[in-house]
Amino acid sequence: MTTYLIAVKILPRPEVLDTQGRAVEATLKEGGLNLEHCRVGKYMEISVNAENQELALNQVREMAEYVLYNPLIENFELEVKG
Amino acid sequence: MTTYLIAVKILPRPEVLDTQGRAVEATLKEGGLNLEHCRVGKYMEISVNAENQELALNQVREMAEYVLYNPLIENFELEVKG
């Protein structure tokens, strides 16, 4: 068994109004910073023990689908960090 | 000028009590899911126009330091998404 660190990146779906993103975008622009667009979501790093990377990704995908993200309004993406 | 999409990943510093992480970890474990540890933070995707990737990263780093993260209790990491 190896310990894998998997990141879960959760963002509101493109068709959903991202109120946090709008607020951050407005604040940055008022501060004179130059950006096109900003979206705000959640980030998690989860360490799991698994036989291999694929099984570790499957375990974390199961967690994401179990409670971490809301499929009605969010999308998620996984990344192997180590 | 090219448009770059840069991700900002913000997590509580290791020495800070991560209450959200503890709660998510407990919920997943109660649900019978097998994990070692979980940390919860914020995730943003920011699109900026810049001459090159290095300047795009600098612009987003400036935003992160301006308002996006709290250096007393958080660390952040940037990732070029496109």
Side-chain angles (χ1 to χ4, degrees):
Chain A
M1 295 283 250
T2 314
T3 303
Y4 292 90
L5 184 65
I6 313 281
V8 186
K9 306 164 185 176
I10 301 172
L11 278 182
R13 293 168 73 107
E15 63 273 26
V16 170
L17 179 66
D18 173 13
T19 49
Q20 279 191 88
R22 292 292 73 68
V24 170
E25 201 175 305
T27 304
L28 291 171
K29 284 178 176 170
E30 278 164 25
L33 290 152
N34 171 30
L35 73 157
E36 288 305 296
H37 193 67
C38 171
R39 300 172 68 213
V40 175
K42 281 170 282 183
Y43 182 72
M44 287 161 223
E45 283 185 358
I46 298 180
S47 53
V48 291
N49 288 329
E51 290 296 338
N52 59 49
Q53 200 182 91
E54 206 192 319
L55 291 173
L57 282 167
N58 285 347
Q59 265 176 251
V60 176
R61 190 173 294 111
E62 196 191 342
M63 293 175 201
E65 288 164 357
Y66 175 57
V67 281
L68 302 182
Y69 96 111
N70 179 347
L72 293 174
I73 55 166
E74 292 168 329
N75 286 325
F76 77 99
E77 193 185 301
L78 302 180
E79 180 194 346
V80 179
K81 300 278 293 181
Chain B
M1 295 284 250
T2 315
T3 303
Y4 292 90
L5 184 65
I6 314 282
V8 186
K9 306 164 185 175
I10 301 172
L11 278 182
R13 294 167 71 108
E15 64 272 24
V16 170
L17 179 67
D18 174 13
T19 49
Q20 278 191 88
R22 291 292 74 70
V24 169
E25 202 176 303
T27 304
L28 291 171
K29 285 177 175 169
E30 278 163 25
L33 291 152
N34 171 29
L35 74 156
E36 289 305 296
H37 193 69
C38 171
R39 300 174 67 213
V40 175
K42 283 169 281 181
Y43 181 72
M44 289 162 219
E45 284 185 357
I46 300 181
S47 53
V48 292
N49 289 328
E51 291 295 340
N52 59 51
Q53 200 183 90
E54 205 191 320
L55 291 173
L57 282 167
N58 285 346
Q59 264 177 250
V60 176
R61 191 170 295 113
E62 195 190 344
M63 293 176 202
E65 287 164 358
Y66 175 57
V67 282
L68 303 182
Y69 95 112
N70 179 348
L72 293 174
I73 55 166
E74 293 169 329
N75 285 325
F76 77 99
E77 191 186 303
L78 302 180
E79 181 194 346
V80 179
K81 300 278 292 180

